[in-house]
Amino acid sequence: MRSQMTQQELLFTVGPEVRRLDDWESWLEEVRPAYELAARSGREWTTYEVARAEELPDPPDPATHWGRLMTLLHAEGLVEPAGWATSLRPTVHSSGVRRWRGTGAARDWEAAA
């Protein structure tokens, strides 16, 4: 990841306005590598923590596409749920979100690469 920001740093750091891509396929192609890297890191994280640290764009429909991405990566065996956290995303008012971690297969892929 570009930086190893703490939750406090993520909460209080003001960054540039988040851009949004217009179609799912282009968005997925741009953001997927960051989540594959996070899966191989051995750390636990939330979707927003990765998006913020990597300055990723929002998808066409943020309310559903972030979850769709994680469902896809979970179905492919790259990530697994690791508990719950309070979201740091400013627009969701501290709602509960999943924490994720890479699976053994994702970490093994890193070792083989």
Side-chain angles (χ1 to χ4, degrees), residues 48-95:
Y48 180 69
E49 289 168 350
V50 174
R52 180 69 185 264
E54 298 296 327
E55 299 177 359
L56 299 175
D58 267 343
D61 182 3
T64 61
H65 287 163
W66 286 112
R68 184 175 170 195
L69 168 66
M70 299 315 298
T71 299
L72 174 69
L73 296 176
H74 185 250
E76 291 176 359
L78 293 176
V79 300
E80 61 190 7
W84 295 91
T86 301
S87 179
L88 299 175
R89 187 180 299 272
T91 57
V92 297
H93 310 291
S94 301
S95 64

Side-chain angles (χ1 to χ4, degrees), residues 1 38 41-46 49 81-83 99-102:
M1 291 187 183
S41 73
R43 297 178 39 242
E44 293 183 4
W45 38 269
T46 68
E49 289 168 350
R99 292 196 63 72
W100 298 93
R101 68 176 159 247

